[in-house]
Amino acid sequence: MTQREVVSFIEALALANPNASSELVFTNAYTLLVSVVLSAQATDVSVNKATVGLFADAPDPATMVRLGEDGVARHIRTIGLWRAKAKNVVALSQVLIDRHGGEVPSDRLSLEALPGVGRKTANVVLNVVFGESTMAVDTHILRLGNRTGLAPGATPRAVEDQLVKRIPRDMLRPSHHWLILHGRYVCKARAPECWHCVGRPYCHYPDKRLEPV
């Protein structure tokens, strides 16, 4: 896409979904952090189902540590990689207590030092909780960036760097949600629903599906 097409594409998504937000259910920085860690290779819907009981039993780092790996595992067995995730959730909660007074840190270096937290998770927390203009690139945004020509790149970091560079600064923070939701519900992996895509006039995908299949 040209720079003008990038802006028009983002403006179209914004107009279609002005109040876009995370579909994860959370109450504070800590529950969002845990939810995002749990969401790796799992749907937001499945995570929300698991965290209803988990956060009722352990809404903060101290109670999560007391719950322990087996206790966390009982709540999250329905989502992928639950053993490793249970271990990471308890471990990151202990680090929050030991190093940050039980609070979620607001800087990238400290976030990425937490067990189970990578760049994407840190970007989500920095964006949603701390208001930073970050771009968390998941599989949906990686696909969308390449398919549409919005931000071509072979890796999540390459796509992230292109998006940060190309999307106007004042639109960058909410674009995280606009793009994820568009990739999740419209620009789907196997069957993109181009016939009702508001960004279609600016998209460079050569094999647009102009009718439902």
Side-chain angles (χ1 to χ4, degrees):
M1 290 186 191
T2 65
Q3 187 59 37
R4 178 170 292 184
E5 287 172 332
V6 168
V7 174
S8 296
F9 184 84
I10 296 298
E11 288 178 341
L13 298 189
L15 187 63
N17 195 6
N19 299 313
S21 61
S22 175
E23 293 189 316
L24 291 169
V25 176
F26 64 96
T27 56
N28 52 36
Y30 175 70
T31 54
L32 174 65
L33 174 64
V34 172
S35 293
V36 180
V37 168
L38 295 178
S39 71
Q41 298 185 43
T43 66
D44 286 0
V45 172
S46 68
V47 171
N48 290 337
K49 289 180 179 178
T51 55
V52 170
L54 177 62
F55 293 149
D57 285 353
D60 55 66
T63 52
M64 193 71 76
V65 170
R66 288 198 294 271
L67 188 61
E69 289 182 34
D70 289 342
V72 174
R74 284 196 299 272
H75 288 288
I76 67 170
R77 287 178 187 272
T78 55
I79 64 177
L81 306 175
W82 58 271
R83 290 184 186 275
K85 290 176 181 179
K87 181 178 181 179
N88 283 333
V89 166
V90 174
L92 74 82
S93 299
Q94 187 65 62
V95 174
L96 291 178
I97 294 168
D98 294 342
R99 300 181 188 174
H100 304 288
E103 299 295 325
V104 175
S106 59
D107 65 286
R108 179 183 299 281
L109 187 63
S110 296
L111 284 168
E112 292 187 13
L114 297 171
V117 176
R119 185 174 181 87
K120 186 192 78 171
T121 297
N123 276 337
V124 173
V125 173
L126 291 170
N127 182 296
V128 175
V129 176
F130 298 108
E132 293 195 19
S133 295
T134 57
M135 177 59 64
V137 177
D138 66 352
T139 56
H140 298 298
I141 293 182
L142 180 66
R143 176 180 69 252
L144 192 153
N146 281 282
R147 174 185 280 165
T148 65
L150 177 67
T155 65
R157 182 59 190 273
V159 171
E160 176 188 337
D161 289 344
Q162 284 293 311
L163 290 170
V164 170
K165 178 181 178 181
R166 305 192 80 196
I167 297 175
R169 187 72 179 177
D170 62 333
M171 303 174 75
L172 186 57
R173 185 188 178 209
S175 289
H176 160 68
H177 296 300
W178 292 328
L179 292 172
I180 285 177
L181 295 177
H182 192 67
R184 184 175 292 167
Y185 297 112
V186 180
C187 196
K188 300 176 182 179
R190 295 185 179 181
E193 299 179 1
C194 307
W195 61 89
H196 68 97
C197 173
V198 296
R200 190 176 71 203
Y202 320 105
C203 173
H204 286 226
Y205 182 49
D207 300 316
K208 294 184 179 69
R209 295 171 180 252
L210 300 182
E211 295 181 357
V213 293

